[in-house]
Amino acid sequence: PAPWRIERHYGRLRLGKEAAATPFRCRVKIPGRMRVPAAKVQVTATIGRGFAREPARIGIFPVRASISLARMGKRPVIVRSWNAGDRMNPFGMKGSKKLQDIFVDLKVPINHRHGLPVFECGGEIVWLPGYRIARGWEVPSASSPALHLTIESLPAPGRRVKL
């Protein structure tokens, strides 16, 4: 009965209260820091040179990435929730891949998918945090101009953070 829900996730059972994901979409403040409460994250954007490369997993924060500032041009970067049918062209792979298939391959629980942030620019998904940036959006060298994005979890309620 509502609001309780039991789910099976790859051989494990999970009991919890059902919570509907709230779709979100907002323009990233460049440079700057902003909260995205619906995704329970804060996004920091800085302009610099070079790139951040570090191992990461979807849904585990903090995570950083760099995208080509030259490719971005004057277009805004949007952080939003995942939509059914979303596709990206992952760097290092040929062709495009549905985000749904990426989530299944990486065993991301269904109830977490709609709360994960997705970054787009010019109508194209440029970064799925914890996975990869999109092909063509990579920073070509350590001296190339870049937009550095950092995603961190929002602190637990009751804790104050200066933004």
Side-chain angles (χ1 to χ4, degrees), residues 28-150:
V28 175
K29 184 179 177 184
I30 303 171
R33 185 181 292 175
M34 59 184 278
R35 290 175 180 238
V36 184
K40 300 178 184 160
V41 297
Q42 62 186 8
V43 177
T44 305
T46 58
I47 295 174
R49 297 207 174 270
F51 41 82
R53 284 194 182 162
E54 53 190 50
R57 288 186 23 213
I58 289 180
I60 307 297
F61 305 115
V63 63
R64 296 184 308 169
S66 303
I67 62 171
S68 172
L69 199 57
R71 175 84 189 263
M72 190 179 98
K74 297 198 182 285
R75 296 178 292 182
V77 174
I78 305 296
V79 59
R80 64 171 176 82
S81 51
W82 164 69
N83 296 315
D86 276 348
R87 297 184 81 86
M88 76 176 291
N89 300 308
F91 178 66
M93 296 175 68
K94 291 183 179 182
S96 67
K97 194 164 185 175
K98 281 186 175 181
L99 266 56
Q100 165 73 29
D101 295 338
I102 293 169
F103 294 147
V104 169
D105 292 348
L106 298 175
K107 299 182 179 178
V108 176
I110 292 170
N111 58 327
H112 290 123
R113 296 174 189 177
H114 287 285
L116 295 173
V118 173
F119 288 78
E120 75 172 41
C121 183
E124 183 179 345
I125 295 175
V126 299
W127 182 38
L128 178 59
Y131 180 62
R132 298 178 185 198
I133 60 168
R135 186 176 57 255
W137 290 88
E138 68 273 10
V139 178
S141 73
S143 61
S144 298
L147 174 65
H148 303 293
L149 296 166
T150 303

Side-chain angles (χ1 to χ4, degrees), residues 33 35 42 44 152-163:
R33 185 181 292 175
R35 290 175 180 238
Q42 62 186 8
T44 305
E152 298 172 286
S153 297
L154 281 175
R159 291 183 59 201
R160 298 182 81 169
V161 170
K162 184 179 177 184
L163 288 180

